[in-house]
Each structure stands twice: as C-alpha cells, then as structure tokens.
Amino acid sequence: MSKVSVTGSKRVIDDVIEATYEHHSLHVTDYDERYEGFEPGESLDGAEAVNERLVTVRSLESILDVEGDEIEVGGALDDAALEAELADVRERVNALNDEHDELRAEIRDRQEEIDRMEPFAELGIELDLLGGYESLEVVVGEAKPDAVEAALTDADGIDAFDVFAGGNVVAIFARPAADADEGVLQDSLVGVDIALLEVPDAEASPTEYVAELERERDDLRSDLTAVDAELASVKEEAAGFLLRAEEQLTIEAQKKEAPLSFATTENAFIAEGWVPTETYADFEAAIDETVGDHAEVEELERASFTPDGDHHTEAVGGDGSASGAAAASTAGADAADADDVEREAATDGGHATHGSDDPPVVQNNGSAAGPFELLVQGFGRPKYSEFDPTLLVFLTFPFMFGLMIGDIGYGVLYAGIGWFLYANYDGAFREMGAVAIWAGLFTVLFGIYYGIDLFGYHAYPLLGIDSWPVAKGLSPADLDWALSWLVVSVVFGLIHLNAGYVLSFVSNLQQHDLKHAIYESASWLLLLNGAWLWIFSQHVPGPKPDFLFESVSVLTLGAVTFSGFPVAVGIAGLVAAGLGVVLLAIGEPAELAEVLSPVVNVISYARLMAVLLAKGGMALAVNLLAFGAYIDNGGSGSFHFIFSAERLAEVQAQPDSYELVFAGMTTAFDPASIGAVGVVALLGGVVVAIIGHIVVLLLGITAAGIQGIRLEYVEFFGKFYEGGGDTYLPFGYERQYTAEDN
C-alpha cells in the first residue's frame, strides 16, 4: 500500500472529490488537527438537505419494508424529479401509514373492551342489575364460588347474601346489617382470592354488547387489510424509485461530507489516505486529468511494517521535493492568502503526514477459505504487517471439529444447517453457513472412520461387516483407543504450535534480523520440541505412562510398534530445551516466567479427546435409554443396542455371555402381543431418542465449536498473531440500482 496526499485549491475541491470517488481506490485518513494553521474541513454546501432527503427515503423504505432483491438498474434522477416524486410518495405513504396506525389503535381498543366485557357475558346477568341498589351491595369478580360463600357465611355485618356464577366469574349480592359500614361486602372478601371487575356502563346486554364490539372489530380489520393492500401497491410502484434515490443520495452525501476528513485552510485543502501501490499511477492520472495543475498528488511512502508495529518509509521519488507545505502553497496560489499555508515538515525533509496510521488491510483467501475470515476477524483483522492465518484456520478448524464429534448423522445435520444459512442469507450468516458445511463434512468423514457412526450407533454391521478396527474408546474392550486419542490430540497440538512458532520465526527474520528471530521465536521452538522429545523418549521412563508409546501400535492397527525415542534422543531433547531457555534469558528475560508454557499449551489440546469421549458418551447414553444396550464377552467387550423385546430376552437368557446395561424403553413393545404399555414405551423411547440427539447436536456446536475456536485463538494465534488491522474501505460506492453516469 502507498500513502498519498492530494493537495489543492478549494476552488477545485468538488472536482477532486468527484474524481477520487469515481476512481474508488483511496482509503481516506481522517485529519487529527495536529498541525498549526490547518483544521478539519466542513461539509460542502447542500449536505444538510441531502441528508434530510436520505433520512426520508430510508424511513419510507422501512415503512414499506423495501428490500430490493429484484429491482433492476435504472437511470440517474435529476434533483427536481427526485424531489417531486419523493414528496408524492412521502405524502401517500404517510397518509396510509397514519390510517394504518389509527386502525390498529381502534382494533386494540375494541379488543380490550371485548376482553373486559366477556366475563359479564359469561355471567349472564344484565348490566343494569349489577348496581344501583340502596339496600344491597354488589361485587363482581373472578373467584371460586365456594370460597366466596365460605367467607361470607362467617362474616360479620352481612345479614344475607347470594352468589351467582358463570364460568370463572361470580356476582355477589349482599344486604349489610343495619349498623354495618359502607363497603362491608368488599371488606368481608379480603381473605378470598378474588380479582374484582368494574361493571361497564352499557345499555345493551353483555352478550349483545360483546357481539357488537366483535362486529366493529372485524370491520376495522377489513379496513386495515385494505390499507395494507394499498401500502403493498405503493411499495410495488415506488420500491425501484426509493432504492435508486437512496443510492443516489448516499453517494451525494458521501461526496459532500468528504471534506470532514481533510486538512484545510481558508484557500487550500490536503487529503491523505492509502491506495494499492499498483493503482497509484492511475489515481494520479485521474486527478491530473480532472483539475490539471490546480491539485498535486504525491506518493508519501510505501510502508514496510514489522510485526511489532514499527515501520519505515521506502524511498519514493528520490529528490525529496514536493513537501506538503510547498504543495499546499502551490495549489493555493489560485486563491488569495494562499502563501500563509504552512505544514510541519517531515523529519526526512518530505511531506508531513496527518498521522502515523497503519495501512488498511484487504483479505482475499479465495472461495473455499474465504468464509473462515469470519473466525479470524472474531479475534481481530490481521494488521498490514501480519501473516493472515485464515488459510491455516481453514485447514485446522474443520479437522478439529470433525475429530471431536465424528458422527455421520450429526455431520449431515451440521452441513444441512450450514447449507440453509449459506443459501438463504448474506454476510456473516452466509460465511457462518460455509464454515458449518466444512465442519459437517469433516464430521461425516470422522464418523465413517470411527465405525460408520450414525447418531451414536455403529452401522457397519448393516453393511455386512463383522468388525471395525477403529473405535472412539467408549466400550470396555476399546479403552486403549481412548488413550490413543489423547496421544493424537497431543501430537496434533505439537504440529499446530510448531506452525505458529515457525510463522513467528519467519516474520521476525524477514522484518528484523536473524538475531531477533532466534531470541524471540527459535528459543520457543527449541523449548517446545526439546521438551516433548524427552517426554516421548526412554530417558527416565519411570513416570511416563505406557500408553504414550503403545498408542502408536493401536493407531496403526499393529503395523508399527514404538517403545519411545532412544535415551540419546531424550537427552538431546533436554539439551535443546535448555538451549531454548538460555536464548530466552538473553533475548527476552521477562518471558522466563512462561518457560513451561510449551508443555502446558500442548496438553491443552487434550480437550479434543475429552470432547470426543463426552459427545460420544452422550449419544451412547441417549441410545441406551431409548433402545437398551448390553456388553458382550461377559461385560468386557463392546456395547451393542438391543432394539427389540425378542433380543432383550436372548440377552437376559445368557448372563454368562452378556452383561445387560439397561433394558431400554422401546424393548417393552412386543409386536406379538401389542399392549398399551408397550405402545407408550415405544413412543416414549422414540421421543427420548429424538430429543436426546437434538440436545447432543446443540451441545456439539457449543462444545466442539467453542473448544476449537479457543485452541485457534489462545494456543495458536498467541504464538504469532496480534490482529487489530483496519479494513480497506476505498472512497466510493458499489452501485446496485443506478447507472454510472449519475
């Protein structure tokens, strides 16, 4: 990327903005008021009016729910035509929208009145009979009649009462005693669970009144439907105009507000930003063709950055001429007092820039790895100086996810969910869908590898295969596989972290020198590999578990045996680790406190095995509850699901050969003697299986997804990646609805 400045007279600022906008390559840098004599620019004339119209257009689009998926490109709109049509659409839409809101409010009022009257309609007593007595007190409310009668029977101050009930509503008529206070009836009901109702003031009977309200409500709903139809008609007519108007006004607003990022004086302006170096010549030519000598374009620097954020300026031009102050003065010569323009000189005699901003970043990882930029950006967009790890995340995250879940059924569902997101949404949801598709495909692949696992069920017998050599390690006979997956997780962690440290070494070597690369990266590489060479060696074998070495034979199905690296290799590993500590002490002594992190970070990858066993165990438990399971070889073999009452009887008849783990719910159903209990058990088992596997599916997303991302962010990125770069946002607009001649 090249940092450039455009310096010119304010007389041509409109033309320069237009040319820059059309070229669509300059990432504008905001001026931060650091130089005496310069101040941020002001919006061009008419910006306020443009923004007001833009707000109006977007408000109308929101009311009409305009999306524009099928709107064709149209021609430019002149200001008079745009203003006239916008006023017409605004008037029609606002009138219909106001009517829409009024109708909704009236419908809501009618519904509230209906809700208030319905209890009285259930009660079945005319409203004029529920009040107006001199010798009686009347209360209406929602309560249980028995509770009301019990309370009033024992109440003092009540000579007589009667309770009428209809649905959940009661009407209580009571004659107070001669010496009772007013309101004695309500006081007597204090201990009763009753919701008092206010008697409406209406002449008609409750039933008739409710019916009339419902008719009015239905008429209002018909009117509302008609208004919605008119709004839909207006949307069909005006959607194209509104989208074109929004795009045109957005472009105009951006142009008029562009000077807010410029450094300006009374007569001149300086705009700075970044352009791809290969486009600089075309950008300079575009400005020169538009305004000639009234503006000058200068390439300030071609930035070369180091991973720690330092940068230097690659020589540009060679003669050191055309400083910012001189260029501003030259351009300002077309206006009065332009000679007063000054700008702080750069230390190398060149242009003094707005600030020390880093170049913006463009990520371009192709169609396959591209969606994984979403995961990288969740940590932070790469800086201009950094290696973009998107490709490595693409190669490792789906692998880790598939390893942890490893089930064909779940994998197909994950891929299906991903396809739905990918096909129906844009932006982040579409990218998330692509990530889910890749994760689902790897889950399917590992599901096949683990024994054609289908929702926790080994389906290889259905293909006529008697046995499968690979297992997750959930059965008593397969415990060696569980420990082997722990070793696989550790070895994967070693490879993953080595890649991170190698990237750190290469970056330091390219941007600094060999010394920095050795002290800051090679030291950790020596520590990492030296320590784990010793762990996998026969030097001091006592504390090292046997499965570290035996797992190689398990994983290779006996084709390769491994008893550990020779003692000499282990000693060499210790020497390498010690050398790493020495280099670290010389180059980065503050990091000696983290000297054990290479060992700890690798062990952190054991979560791959943990999630694999946890999710496999959950799927096994769901199937066990629903379909029943037993272990063959008297309890020392593998899990097998029962499914049927007939098979359950066979298992129970051979206790020496089979250990019954759980009989299962569906096995209570016997087709030979169908009974109610068996049918209920069958349905219950199916429900348990469906809900259980949905839970496992969702927990797989949170467990495997989060743990995989954590390993990428914490263990892997922490070795070479910082993030925090800025997105490359060139000044301009990608048109969708208006022609380029606008």
Side-chain angles (χ1 to χ4, degrees):
M1 299 291 286
S2 292
K3 189 164 190 178
V4 301
S5 72
V6 182
T7 309
S9 166
K10 277 191 173 179
R11 293 195 310 170
V12 297
I13 191 171
D14 294 60
D15 295 330
V16 170
I17 290 173
E18 185 69 32
T20 303
Y21 199 89
E22 292 302 321
H23 198 266
H24 197 28
S25 64
L26 178 66
H27 177 94
V28 180
T29 301
D30 291 334
Y31 175 57
D32 57 7
E33 301 185 65
R34 61 166 47 202
Y35 302 118
E36 184 178 353
F38 286 82
E39 60 183 20
E42 298 179 350
S43 299
L44 300 179
D45 292 340
E48 185 176 353
V50 170
N51 282 316
E52 288 178 356
R53 284 187 284 178
L54 184 57
V55 169
T56 300
V57 169
R58 288 173 175 167
S59 175
L60 294 173
E61 288 178 337
S62 177
I63 293 172
L64 296 174
D65 194 24
V66 173
E67 296 180 355
D69 294 338
E70 300 178 358
I71 302 301
E72 296 181 357
V73 175
L77 301 168
D78 62 60
D79 288 343
L82 190 152
E83 184 66 33
E85 188 167 355
L86 181 58
D88 177 63
V89 174
R90 180 176 61 236
E91 181 178 356
R92 295 168 62 193
V93 171
N94 286 344
L96 289 170
N97 192 54
D98 290 343
E99 185 177 357
H100 182 276
D101 292 342
E102 291 173 2
L103 288 170
R104 286 180 63 88
E106 291 187 36
I107 291 171
R108 184 172 58 252
D109 292 342
R110 298 299 190 280
Q111 187 61 51
E112 290 175 354
E113 186 68 9
I114 290 171
D115 294 339
R116 194 163 69 92
M117 288 298 299
E118 280 182 339
F120 297 95
E122 291 181 7
L123 187 62
I125 300 177
E126 298 297 320
L127 297 177
D128 58 353
L129 299 178
L130 297 175
Y133 302 103
E134 293 183 0
S135 59
L136 295 177
E137 289 189 7
V138 182
V139 169
V140 181
E142 295 179 343
K144 294 182 178 179
D146 294 342
V148 171
E149 291 176 357
L152 294 180
T153 299
D154 300 329
D156 296 331
I158 302 292
D159 284 346
F161 69 89
D162 204 351
V163 178
F164 298 88
N168 295 324
V169 182
V170 295
I172 309 160
F173 295 82
R175 186 178 68 215
D179 58 346
D181 295 331
E182 184 179 355
V184 66
L185 177 56
Q186 287 195 29
D187 293 340
S188 301
L189 296 172
V190 168
V192 178
D193 184 14
I194 182 171
L196 298 179
L197 299 174
E198 182 181 353
V199 179
D201 183 14
E203 296 180 358
S205 69
T207 302
E208 293 174 348
Y209 189 42
V210 168
E212 178 62 27
L213 289 172
E214 289 177 342
R215 283 193 295 272
E216 292 179 9
R217 181 196 62 189
D218 293 341
D219 290 341
L220 290 169
R221 285 177 174 173
S222 297
D223 294 341
L224 182 62
T225 301
V227 171
D228 286 337
E230 289 187 58
L231 282 170
S233 177
V234 174
K235 173 183 176 180
E236 185 176 354
E237 295 174 11
F241 161 74
L242 290 174
L243 289 168
R244 285 191 288 272
E246 182 191 12
E247 184 166 278
Q248 184 166 318
L249 291 170
T250 299
I251 292 172
E252 191 173 350
Q254 289 178 350
K255 291 177 181 178
K256 289 188 178 296
E257 292 175 351
L260 295 173
S261 300
F262 297 175
T264 64
T265 64
E266 183 179 354
N267 303 298
F269 72 91
I270 302 176
E272 290 186 356
W274 296 91
V275 298
T277 300
E278 63 270 18
T279 68
Y280 169 72
D282 290 340
F283 175 73
E284 182 180 27
I287 300 298
D288 182 67
E289 182 180 348
T290 302
V291 297
D293 295 336
H294 297 291
E296 180 178 346
V297 180
E298 181 182 3
E299 185 179 14
L300 306 179
E301 59 185 59
R302 294 177 188 170
S304 176
F305 285 76
T306 62
D308 56 12
D310 295 332
H311 70 275
H312 67 276
T313 301
E314 190 174 304
V316 177
D319 57 2
S321 61
S323 71
S329 298
T330 300
D334 295 320
D337 301 326
D339 292 335
D340 294 334
V341 177
E342 293 181 357
R343 194 171 190 205
E344 181 181 314
T347 55
D348 62 356
H351 195 310
T353 61
H354 285 179
S356 57
D357 56 307
D358 289 352
V361 175
V362 179
Q363 288 181 272
N364 184 12
N365 290 282
S367 58
F372 287 81
E373 292 176 3
L374 179 69
L375 298 184
V376 173
Q377 291 168 12
F379 183 90
R381 186 180 295 273
K383 293 181 179 178
Y384 185 76
S385 58
E386 291 184 313
F387 176 85
D388 184 353
T390 300
L391 180 60
L392 293 176
V393 174
F394 165 65
L395 295 175
T396 55
F397 177 79
F399 177 87
M400 289 189 288
F401 191 96
L403 174 67
M404 286 185 278
I405 303 298
D407 188 287
I408 298 173
Y410 296 139
V412 169
L413 291 178
Y414 289 138
I417 294 170
W419 178 253
F420 175 80
L421 294 174
Y422 186 83
N424 292 280
Y425 295 93
D426 293 321
F429 279 105
R430 180 180 173 87
E431 294 176 348
M432 191 182 303
V435 172
I437 291 173
W438 281 106
L441 292 177
F442 272 83
T443 301
V444 170
L445 291 176
F446 274 99
I448 296 172
Y449 179 65
Y450 290 144
I452 314 183
D453 256 19
L454 189 64
F455 296 112
Y457 170 68
H458 293 302
Y460 62 83
L462 300 179
L463 302 178
I465 301 174
D466 294 332
S467 63
W468 195 267
V470 181
K472 289 182 178 179
L474 299 172
S475 300
D478 303 326
L479 294 181
D480 288 344
W481 277 101
L483 296 174
S484 297
W485 294 127
L486 175 59
V487 176
V488 169
S489 301
V490 167
V491 172
F492 177 82
L494 272 170
I495 297 171
H496 206 210
L497 295 182
N498 265 288
Y501 283 127
V502 168
L503 287 174
S504 175
F505 182 89
V506 172
S507 295
N508 279 309
L509 181 62
Q510 291 178 341
Q511 304 296 340
H512 287 292
D513 51 35
L514 182 60
K515 182 177 73 173
H516 280 86
I518 291 175
Y519 288 152
E520 297 178 14
S521 303
S523 57
W524 292 110
L525 275 169
L526 289 168
L527 264 169
L528 173 69
N529 293 290
W532 283 97
L533 273 176
W534 177 80
I535 291 173
F536 280 100
S537 75
Q538 283 297 321
H539 185 243
V540 191
K544 300 172 184 177
D546 292 337
F547 72 83
L548 285 178
F549 316 114
E550 295 171 354
S551 60
V552 174
S553 177
V554 174
L555 292 167
T556 61
L557 307 180
V560 177
T561 57
F562 179 67
S563 59
F565 293 116
V567 172
V569 173
I571 295 174
L574 286 178
V575 172
L579 178 59
V581 173
V582 172
L583 293 174
L584 196 63
I586 297 173
E588 300 289 340
E591 295 189 14
L592 283 175
E594 303 292 329
V595 70
L596 293 178
S597 63
V599 176
V600 175
N601 290 162
V602 171
I603 293 175
S604 183
Y605 283 78
R607 67 189 69 238
L608 298 177
M609 177 273 294
V611 175
L612 167 65
L613 297 183
K615 293 296 153 284
M618 291 177 66
L620 172 65
V622 169
N623 291 336
L624 186 149
L625 290 173
F627 310 118
Y630 66 90
I631 303 174
D632 59 8
N633 296 331
S636 61
S638 300
F639 279 100
H640 299 276
F641 298 119
I642 299 173
F643 295 114
S644 68
E646 181 182 1
R647 183 57 179 160
L648 175 62
E650 294 177 4
V651 171
Q652 292 174 325
Q654 304 179 61
D656 294 336
S657 300
Y658 306 125
E659 178 181 317
L660 180 66
V661 181
F662 186 72
M665 299 175 66
T666 59
T667 56
F669 177 77
D670 188 353
S673 57
I674 299 177
V677 174
V679 172
V680 171
L682 176 63
L683 295 176
V686 172
V687 170
V688 167
I690 293 174
I691 295 177
H693 284 301
I694 290 175
V695 171
V696 177
L697 181 80
L698 297 177
L699 291 177
I701 296 174
T702 57
I706 290 175
Q707 296 302 337
I709 291 173
R710 184 204 176 278
L711 290 173
E712 299 283 7
Y713 287 177
V714 179
E715 268 69 36
F716 185 52
F717 284 6
K719 305 301 176 284
F720 69 98
Y721 186 69
E722 182 177 343
D726 296 323
T727 306
Y728 174 58
L729 298 173
F731 183 53
Y733 193 91
E734 294 290 343
R735 298 173 184 269
Q736 290 180 275
Y737 309 114
T738 58
E740 290 287 346
D741 60 352
N742 178 28

